[in-house]
Amino acid sequence: SQVYGKDIEHIQLGYHEYKENVHKRGLPDWQVRDAAAWEKMKASGIDENPLGYTKDFENIVGKKPESFVDYLNNKARMRPGLVFP
């Protein structure tokens, strides 16, 4: 909302609803399971615990990961060729 200047509604689906929604997009079963497991993990808040992070990304890529706000502000990198608000 802050980046785009308008309200963005977040709708959280339950685990099984999420799997069904992803499956309807035609993804293979393994990807449906992995995506649902990832969303379940994120819903637990584990990805927000800074103690769970290492410097592996920075060591491999050679730079610090960008914040979510920085990612949203870098619209050209999100989907090259598409125009975002």
Side-chain angles (χ1 to χ4, degrees):
S1 294
Q2 178 184 2
V3 172
Y4 290 116
K6 56 181 162 182
D7 289 340
I8 298 173
E9 183 180 1
H10 172 76
I11 300 172
Q12 186 168 342
L13 299 176
Y15 176 77
H16 296 290
E17 286 177 300
Y18 181 83
K19 277 182 71 174
E20 183 180 323
N21 184 281
V22 174
H23 185 70
K24 284 181 183 176
R25 295 183 210 163
L27 297 174
D29 289 340
W30 69 267
Q31 199 167 11
V32 171
R33 283 191 312 272
D34 284 0
W38 175 249
E39 290 300 321
K40 189 175 184 179
M41 183 190 74
K42 289 190 330 186
S44 76
I46 195 168
D47 64 323
E48 296 177 18
N49 182 353
L51 298 176
Y53 291 102
T54 67
K55 296 229 180 237
D56 290 349
F57 180 86
E58 189 174 346
N59 292 337
I60 293 168
V61 176
K63 63 180 183 176
K64 292 184 180 208
E66 63 187 354
S67 71
F68 186 62
V69 170
D70 289 340
Y71 169 77
L72 291 176
N73 281 317
N74 192 349
K75 296 174 181 86
R77 198 178 308 162
M78 293 167 96
R79 293 197 180 154
L82 296 180
V83 178
F84 285 81

